[in-house]
Amino acid sequence: LGGSLDTSGSFAGVSTGATISGIEIRVFEENSSTNTPSGTHKIIQAPHIYQTIHYPTGCESVSTVMALNYAGINTTVDSFIDNYLDKSSGVPFDPNTTFGGNPRSSSGYGCYAPVIMNALNKLLPGKGYYAQQLSNVPLQDLCSQYIDKDIPVIIWATMNMAPPRSGNSWSYNGRKIQWIAPEHCLLLVGYDDNNYIFNDPQKTQALTYYSKASVDAAYKGLYSQAIVLQKGESSVPVTSVSVSPSSTTKKVGEAFGLTTTVTPSNATNKKITYSSNNPSVATVNDTGLVIAKSEGKAVITVKTADGGKEAKCNVTVRPLLVYQTRDTEVMWFEDNQSTEEVVRPDLFYNDMTRDEVKASVRSIREEAFGFDPNLIPTNIDTQLESFSSADYWRKDTLIPSANFMTDNSFALFLEEPMKNRNLLSGLLPWHEYTKEEHKGFFTNMATNFFANDTFDPIITDMIEHFAGDKTSNFTGTIDGYSIYKNSALSSQVQAHSESTKYVDNVKSALDSCLKQQSGNLVNLEYDPEKRFDNDERTKQPVASELKSRNINQPVFASTSDTLNGFTICLDSLQGNKIEILSYSQNGNSYSGIMRVTYYDHFGLNAEDFTSEGYGSIKNLGVNKLGGFHHWYIMQRYKDLEGSVHPKPFITTIEITTTFSGAIK
């Protein structure tokens, strides 16, 4: 080797202070003989760069610069590392984002193809080449598609094609990173029948032969990733795409445009496509215009042609309100001139003393609050003898021939026991009726007088919900009041002639409005905030059309309605609203689905007991019939005995139907 050994020096690799008495030197000679390819073969004569001295862990940068130099791009490994390679300080790091550590240090880790792609995308513009990342392309295809065309391939494998194994692992940004060892990057430059041929930067010379089987295992162990340089204008790939809004809520008929941003801004191919996973709810065209078609949810996806990057917009479509009466589900205006809305009095509950109840409804007397009929003396009037909680309100037991709607004798009979009871004041022990007893009187009256066999279970269920003994048909709340839905009641109301007439009139009015607006449904939207000025409210398209046609909501108060059960369940409605659930326009034709919702209150108010009372429930004889007194006491008497106080609720009836027509 030449030179001489200084045996008197110290601290040459040891720290004991002892002098060196001798040294053993082993010399390894790398075989410099040239392999001869066997059989069919192809070899690209690409430059070779040795990494070990200056870039011990920089195989990715060295292999890339070999490919660049072969393409005629004059750059150095130092320039590539310093100016283009994204680096981090080391573990923890993501090898798909940065190089871990320093390529010039033996303690560095490495990186994967996306990091080299990002560096090349910064280096190549204006150089007449662009980089293409390849994933899961078999080695034989790399040879046929690129090596045979004199294009070397940068691939990831292992050192000396050793079997890949799991190396160190760490957590980065909430996910586990598993390093594959011994990771290596080489330049594939050829092949023969048995081998793949590389410029291996760890070797001191070009053209290293590795068996195909060992290369295949190492290549797959490093996730089958590769990069090639292609001739042509520099191509800047798409890295991501975003869309705004990413989530939105619209009403049926509304349209909005998506704003899409492709990154980077200088990407070569910015072509995108749009699609909807539920076009019956929301459609999207080639320009990103979204149209809300029907109630529901849809996901609009934007996808890039380059790389298949995706972004999504979640669309929720709500019904479009086109009409509502001035009185909403809870609130009420005393008359059309009033500009102040209040809670409808028939929703008041649990707010009166006994004296206040009697003062508010003069026909309610002390006896309606309780007594003990079992202690009535047997020598009292015959009518009093039969006056029991079980038969008190049974017309067929008390007076079979009476017609309670027309015969005053029945009404007088109902009053007589009360008058006789006054004669017994102080003679009998007082019994306060419980909630259950009041409910029994109310239910007995309702089912015997005001409901047929169809409505018996309906009104009974409504009373149970009112009393707080059932909740199964409550579907939500509005301003603290439960919403009640009963499918049997809804079926009866939907088939009622008053209801079918109203729905048909609404369809006709809607058709007229759509013609006036050239089919633009959104122009028919009703603004409920205008209800405070009734003149302004009725200027809105559908409200104006209904008013001009003198179309009013249904009232269920005929004699047959009263006897069958409609009146006690609904009577005159609190209000209604009309919503469009879906809408489509095709040329001159349109079609859609609308929902008409009736709403009413299952509760009493003091005015129901007077001839001036609002609505027609007074026609049932509310003032005279004790069952209504018990209903009112249950609702308003705050000292009512019972664990749960009765509370009025909002009855809703939803009628969903189709509509269609021509715009001209």
mmCIF file with all atom_site columns, all heavy atoms in Angstrom, residues 68 73 75 79-80 84 118-127:
data_model
loop_
_atom_site.group_PDB
_atom_site.id
_atom_site.type_symbol
_atom_site.label_atom_id
_atom_site.label_alt_id
_atom_site.label_comp_id
_atom_site.label_asym_id
_atom_site.label_entity_id
_atom_site.label_seq_id
_atom_site.pdbx_PDB_ins_code
_atom_site.Cartn_x
_atom_site.Cartn_y
_atom_site.Cartn_z
_atom_site.occupancy
_atom_site.B_iso_or_equiv
_atom_site.pdbx_formal_charge
_atom_site.auth_seq_id
_atom_site.auth_comp_id
_atom_site.auth_asym_id
_atom_site.auth_atom_id
_atom_site.pdbx_PDB_model_num
ATOM 1   N N   . LEU A 1 68  ? -31.177 11.668 -14.775 1.00 0.00 ? 68  LEU A N   1
ATOM 2   C CA  . LEU A 1 68  ? -31.195 13.026 -15.338 1.00 0.00 ? 68  LEU A CA  1
ATOM 3   C C   . LEU A 1 68  ? -30.006 13.238 -16.277 1.00 0.00 ? 68  LEU A C   1
ATOM 4   O O   . LEU A 1 68  ? -30.162 13.797 -17.382 1.00 0.00 ? 68  LEU A O   1
ATOM 5   C CB  . LEU A 1 68  ? -31.172 14.050 -14.206 1.00 0.00 ? 68  LEU A CB  1
ATOM 6   C CG  . LEU A 1 68  ? -32.457 14.188 -13.373 1.00 0.00 ? 68  LEU A CG  1
ATOM 7   C CD1 . LEU A 1 68  ? -32.195 14.993 -12.098 1.00 0.00 ? 68  LEU A CD1 1
ATOM 8   C CD2 . LEU A 1 68  ? -33.567 14.856 -14.190 1.00 0.00 ? 68  LEU A CD2 1
ATOM 9   N N   . ILE A 1 73  ? -29.699 16.204 -18.936 1.00 0.00 ? 73  ILE A N   1
ATOM 10  C CA  . ILE A 1 73  ? -29.945 17.314 -18.010 1.00 0.00 ? 73  ILE A CA  1
ATOM 11  C C   . ILE A 1 73  ? -28.745 17.401 -17.082 1.00 0.00 ? 73  ILE A C   1
ATOM 12  O O   . ILE A 1 73  ? -28.493 16.501 -16.271 1.00 0.00 ? 73  ILE A O   1
ATOM 13  C CB  . ILE A 1 73  ? -31.249 17.094 -17.219 1.00 0.00 ? 73  ILE A CB  1
ATOM 14  C CG1 . ILE A 1 73  ? -32.440 17.028 -18.196 1.00 0.00 ? 73  ILE A CG1 1
ATOM 15  C CG2 . ILE A 1 73  ? -31.454 18.187 -16.188 1.00 0.00 ? 73  ILE A CG2 1
ATOM 16  C CD1 . ILE A 1 73  ? -33.731 16.610 -17.560 1.00 0.00 ? 73  ILE A CD1 1
ATOM 17  N N   . THR A 1 75  ? -27.010 18.261 -14.116 1.00 0.00 ? 75  THR A N   1
ATOM 18  C CA  . THR A 1 75  ? -27.161 18.656 -12.715 1.00 0.00 ? 75  THR A CA  1
ATOM 19  C C   . THR A 1 75  ? -26.299 17.738 -11.875 1.00 0.00 ? 75  THR A C   1
ATOM 20  O O   . THR A 1 75  ? -25.817 16.697 -12.352 1.00 0.00 ? 75  THR A O   1
ATOM 21  C CB  . THR A 1 75  ? -28.627 18.593 -12.259 1.00 0.00 ? 75  THR A CB  1
ATOM 22  O OG1 . THR A 1 75  ? -28.750 19.209 -10.975 1.00 0.00 ? 75  THR A OG1 1
ATOM 23  C CG2 . THR A 1 75  ? -29.123 17.156 -12.189 1.00 0.00 ? 75  THR A CG2 1
ATOM 24  N N   . SER A 1 79  ? -26.501 19.584 -6.036  1.00 0.00 ? 79  SER A N   1
ATOM 25  C CA  . SER A 1 79  ? -27.534 20.548 -6.418  1.00 0.00 ? 79  SER A CA  1
ATOM 26  C C   . SER A 1 79  ? -28.927 19.965 -6.198  1.00 0.00 ? 79  SER A C   1
ATOM 27  O O   . SER A 1 79  ? -29.834 20.654 -5.715  1.00 0.00 ? 79  SER A O   1
ATOM 28  C CB  . SER A 1 79  ? -27.360 20.947 -7.882  1.00 0.00 ? 79  SER A CB  1
ATOM 29  O OG  . SER A 1 79  ? -28.415 21.795 -8.282  1.00 0.00 ? 79  SER A OG  1
ATOM 30  N N   . PHE A 1 80  ? -29.087 18.689 -6.548  1.00 0.00 ? 80  PHE A N   1
ATOM 31  C CA  . PHE A 1 80  ? -30.397 18.049 -6.376  1.00 0.00 ? 80  PHE A CA  1
ATOM 32  C C   . PHE A 1 80  ? -30.783 18.012 -4.903  1.00 0.00 ? 80  PHE A C   1
ATOM 33  O O   . PHE A 1 80  ? -31.916 18.339 -4.532  1.00 0.00 ? 80  PHE A O   1
ATOM 34  C CB  . PHE A 1 80  ? -30.360 16.631 -6.960  1.00 0.00 ? 80  PHE A CB  1
ATOM 35  C CG  . PHE A 1 80  ? -31.685 15.947 -6.971  1.00 0.00 ? 80  PHE A CG  1
ATOM 36  C CD1 . PHE A 1 80  ? -32.576 16.144 -8.013  1.00 0.00 ? 80  PHE A CD1 1
ATOM 37  C CD2 . PHE A 1 80  ? -32.065 15.092 -5.932  1.00 0.00 ? 80  PHE A CD2 1
ATOM 38  C CE1 . PHE A 1 80  ? -33.818 15.508 -8.016  1.00 0.00 ? 80  PHE A CE1 1
ATOM 39  C CE2 . PHE A 1 80  ? -33.288 14.463 -5.928  1.00 0.00 ? 80  PHE A CE2 1
ATOM 40  C CZ  . PHE A 1 80  ? -34.172 14.678 -6.985  1.00 0.00 ? 80  PHE A CZ  1
ATOM 41  N N   . TYR A 1 84  ? -33.683 20.874 -4.364  1.00 0.00 ? 84  TYR A N   1
ATOM 42  C CA  . TYR A 1 84  ? -34.965 20.289 -4.775  1.00 0.00 ? 84  TYR A CA  1
ATOM 43  C C   . TYR A 1 84  ? -35.517 19.250 -3.800  1.00 0.00 ? 84  TYR A C   1
ATOM 44  O O   . TYR A 1 84  ? -36.730 19.067 -3.716  1.00 0.00 ? 84  TYR A O   1
ATOM 45  C CB  . TYR A 1 84  ? -34.816 19.643 -6.165  1.00 0.00 ? 84  TYR A CB  1
ATOM 46  C CG  . TYR A 1 84  ? -34.313 20.612 -7.207  1.00 0.00 ? 84  TYR A CG  1
ATOM 47  C CD1 . TYR A 1 84  ? -33.000 20.530 -7.685  1.00 0.00 ? 84  TYR A CD1 1
ATOM 48  C CD2 . TYR A 1 84  ? -35.124 21.615 -7.698  1.00 0.00 ? 84  TYR A CD2 1
ATOM 49  C CE1 . TYR A 1 84  ? -32.528 21.427 -8.631  1.00 0.00 ? 84  TYR A CE1 1
ATOM 50  C CE2 . TYR A 1 84  ? -34.671 22.523 -8.652  1.00 0.00 ? 84  TYR A CE2 1
ATOM 51  C CZ  . TYR A 1 84  ? -33.365 22.421 -9.107  1.00 0.00 ? 84  TYR A CZ  1
ATOM 52  O OH  . TYR A 1 84  ? -32.915 23.317 -10.039 1.00 0.00 ? 84  TYR A OH  1
ATOM 53  N N   . ASN A 1 118 ? -41.767 14.968 -6.308  1.00 0.00 ? 118 ASN A N   1
ATOM 54  C CA  . ASN A 1 118 ? -41.939 16.377 -5.972  1.00 0.00 ? 118 ASN A CA  1
ATOM 55  C C   . ASN A 1 118 ? -40.682 17.173 -6.327  1.00 0.00 ? 118 ASN A C   1
ATOM 56  O O   . ASN A 1 118 ? -40.755 18.296 -6.841  1.00 0.00 ? 118 ASN A O   1
ATOM 57  C CB  . ASN A 1 118 ? -42.259 16.516 -4.479  1.00 0.00 ? 118 ASN A CB  1
ATOM 58  C CG  . ASN A 1 118 ? -42.689 17.913 -4.102  1.00 0.00 ? 118 ASN A CG  1
ATOM 59  O OD1 . ASN A 1 118 ? -43.480 18.534 -4.802  1.00 0.00 ? 118 ASN A OD1 1
ATOM 60  N ND2 . ASN A 1 118 ? -42.158 18.424 -2.998  1.00 0.00 ? 118 ASN A ND2 1
ATOM 61  N N   . ALA A 1 119 ? -39.506 16.581 -6.072  1.00 0.00 ? 119 ALA A N   1
ATOM 62  C CA  . ALA A 1 119 ? -38.251 17.256 -6.411  1.00 0.00 ? 119 ALA A CA  1
ATOM 63  C C   . ALA A 1 119 ? -38.115 17.416 -7.928  1.00 0.00 ? 119 ALA A C   1
ATOM 64  O O   . ALA A 1 119 ? -37.716 18.477 -8.431  1.00 0.00 ? 119 ALA A O   1
ATOM 65  C CB  . ALA A 1 119 ? -37.071 16.468 -5.843  1.00 0.00 ? 119 ALA A CB  1
ATOM 66  N N   . LEU A 1 120 ? -38.450 16.365 -8.666  1.00 0.00 ? 120 LEU A N   1
ATOM 67  C CA  . LEU A 1 120 ? -38.348 16.432 -10.132 1.00 0.00 ? 120 LEU A CA  1
ATOM 68  C C   . LEU A 1 120 ? -39.329 17.440 -10.714 1.00 0.00 ? 120 LEU A C   1
ATOM 69  O O   . LEU A 1 120 ? -39.026 18.116 -11.709 1.00 0.00 ? 120 LEU A O   1
ATOM 70  C CB  . LEU A 1 120 ? -38.598 15.044 -10.729 1.00 0.00 ? 120 LEU A CB  1
ATOM 71  C CG  . LEU A 1 120 ? -37.461 14.031 -10.532 1.00 0.00 ? 120 LEU A CG  1
ATOM 72  C CD1 . LEU A 1 120 ? -37.913 12.632 -10.946 1.00 0.00 ? 120 LEU A CD1 1
ATOM 73  C CD2 . LEU A 1 120 ? -36.224 14.445 -11.328 1.00 0.00 ? 120 LEU A CD2 1
ATOM 74  N N   . ASN A 1 121 ? -40.506 17.554 -10.107 1.00 0.00 ? 121 ASN A N   1
ATOM 75  C CA  . ASN A 1 121 ? -41.493 18.522 -10.608 1.00 0.00 ? 121 ASN A CA  1
ATOM 76  C C   . ASN A 1 121 ? -41.017 19.954 -10.414 1.00 0.00 ? 121 ASN A C   1
ATOM 77  O O   . ASN A 1 121 ? -41.469 20.864 -11.114 1.00 0.00 ? 121 ASN A O   1
ATOM 78  C CB  . ASN A 1 121 ? -42.834 18.312 -9.904  1.00 0.00 ? 121 ASN A CB  1
ATOM 79  C CG  . ASN A 1 121 ? -43.533 17.049 -10.354 1.00 0.00 ? 121 ASN A CG  1
ATOM 80  O OD1 . ASN A 1 121 ? -43.302 16.574 -11.468 1.00 0.00 ? 121 ASN A OD1 1
ATOM 81  N ND2 . ASN A 1 121 ? -44.379 16.491 -9.494  1.00 0.00 ? 121 ASN A ND2 1
ATOM 82  N N   . LYS A 1 122 ? -40.122 20.142 -9.462  1.00 0.00 ? 122 LYS A N   1
ATOM 83  C CA  . LYS A 1 122 ? -39.529 21.473 -9.286  1.00 0.00 ? 122 LYS A CA  1
ATOM 84  C C   . LYS A 1 122 ? -38.345 21.684 -10.228 1.00 0.00 ? 122 LYS A C   1
ATOM 85  O O   . LYS A 1 122 ? -38.063 22.816 -10.645 1.00 0.00 ? 122 LYS A O   1
ATOM 86  C CB  . LYS A 1 122 ? -39.089 21.654 -7.831  1.00 0.00 ? 122 LYS A CB  1
ATOM 87  C CG  . LYS A 1 122 ? -40.245 21.734 -6.843  1.00 0.00 ? 122 LYS A CG  1
ATOM 88  C CD  . LYS A 1 122 ? -39.777 22.015 -5.425  1.00 0.00 ? 122 LYS A CD  1
ATOM 89  C CE  . LYS A 1 122 ? -39.220 20.798 -4.738  1.00 0.00 ? 122 LYS A CE  1
ATOM 90  N NZ  . LYS A 1 122 ? -38.896 21.017 -3.310  1.00 0.00 ? 122 LYS A NZ  1
ATOM 91  N N   . LEU A 1 123 ? -37.647 20.622 -10.581 1.00 0.00 ? 123 LEU A N   1
ATOM 92  C CA  . LEU A 1 123 ? -36.427 20.737 -11.383 1.00 0.00 ? 123 LEU A CA  1
ATOM 93  C C   . LEU A 1 123 ? -36.694 20.736 -12.886 1.00 0.00 ? 123 LEU A C   1
ATOM 94  O O   . LEU A 1 123 ? -36.015 21.442 -13.647 1.00 0.00 ? 123 LEU A O   1
ATOM 95  C CB  . LEU A 1 123 ? -35.479 19.595 -11.009 1.00 0.00 ? 123 LEU A CB  1
ATOM 96  C CG  . LEU A 1 123 ? -34.108 19.531 -11.686 1.00 0.00 ? 123 LEU A CG  1
ATOM 97  C CD1 . LEU A 1 123 ? -33.101 18.867 -10.750 1.00 0.00 ? 123 LEU A CD1 1
ATOM 98  C CD2 . LEU A 1 123 ? -34.134 18.750 -13.009 1.00 0.00 ? 123 LEU A CD2 1
ATOM 99  N N   . LEU A 1 124 ? -37.681 19.946 -13.346 1.00 0.00 ? 124 LEU A N   1
ATOM 100 C CA  . LEU A 1 124 ? -37.813 19.660 -14.775 1.00 0.00 ? 124 LEU A CA  1
ATOM 101 C C   . LEU A 1 124 ? -38.455 20.739 -15.647 1.00 0.00 ? 124 LEU A C   1
ATOM 102 O O   . LEU A 1 124 ? -38.207 20.746 -16.860 1.00 0.00 ? 124 LEU A O   1
ATOM 103 C CB  . LEU A 1 124 ? -38.588 18.353 -14.962 1.00 0.00 ? 124 LEU A CB  1
ATOM 104 C CG  . LEU A 1 124 ? -37.822 17.082 -14.594 1.00 0.00 ? 124 LEU A CG  1
ATOM 105 C CD1 . LEU A 1 124 ? -38.730 15.868 -14.700 1.00 0.00 ? 124 LEU A CD1 1
ATOM 106 C CD2 . LEU A 1 124 ? -36.597 16.922 -15.483 1.00 0.00 ? 124 LEU A CD2 1
ATOM 107 N N   . PRO A 1 125 ? -39.328 21.619 -15.114 1.00 0.00 ? 125 PRO A N   1
ATOM 108 C CA  . PRO A 1 125 ? -39.951 22.588 -16.013 1.00 0.00 ? 125 PRO A CA  1
ATOM 109 C C   . PRO A 1 125 ? -38.923 23.321 -16.875 1.00 0.00 ? 125 PRO A C   1
ATOM 110 O O   . PRO A 1 125 ? -37.910 23.825 -16.381 1.00 0.00 ? 125 PRO A O   1
ATOM 111 C CB  . PRO A 1 125 ? -40.674 23.537 -15.053 1.00 0.00 ? 125 PRO A CB  1
ATOM 112 C CG  . PRO A 1 125 ? -41.019 22.681 -13.882 1.00 0.00 ? 125 PRO A CG  1
ATOM 113 C CD  . PRO A 1 125 ? -39.837 21.761 -13.726 1.00 0.00 ? 125 PRO A CD  1
ATOM 114 N N   . GLY A 1 126 ? -39.196 23.350 -18.186 1.00 0.00 ? 126 GLY A N   1
ATOM 115 C CA  . GLY A 1 126 ? -38.301 24.002 -19.129 1.00 0.00 ? 126 GLY A CA  1
ATOM 116 C C   . GLY A 1 126 ? -37.152 23.146 -19.604 1.00 0.00 ? 126 GLY A C   1
ATOM 117 O O   . GLY A 1 126 ? -36.332 23.584 -20.430 1.00 0.00 ? 126 GLY A O   1
ATOM 118 N N   . LYS A 1 127 ? -37.070 21.891 -19.118 1.00 0.00 ? 127 LYS A N   1
ATOM 119 C CA  . LYS A 1 127 ? -35.954 21.017 -19.486 1.00 0.00 ? 127 LYS A CA  1
ATOM 120 C C   . LYS A 1 127 ? -36.310 20.031 -20.602 1.00 0.00 ? 127 LYS A C   1
ATOM 121 O O   . LYS A 1 127 ? -35.481 19.238 -21.025 1.00 0.00 ? 127 LYS A O   1
ATOM 122 C CB  . LYS A 1 127 ? -35.481 20.223 -18.261 1.00 0.00 ? 127 LYS A CB  1
ATOM 123 C CG  . LYS A 1 127 ? -35.022 21.066 -17.075 1.00 0.00 ? 127 LYS A CG  1
ATOM 124 C CD  . LYS A 1 127 ? -33.713 21.764 -17.352 1.00 0.00 ? 127 LYS A CD  1
ATOM 125 C CE  . LYS A 1 127 ? -33.071 22.299 -16.080 1.00 0.00 ? 127 LYS A CE  1
ATOM 126 N NZ  . LYS A 1 127 ? -33.907 23.225 -15.315 1.00 0.00 ? 127 LYS A NZ  1
#
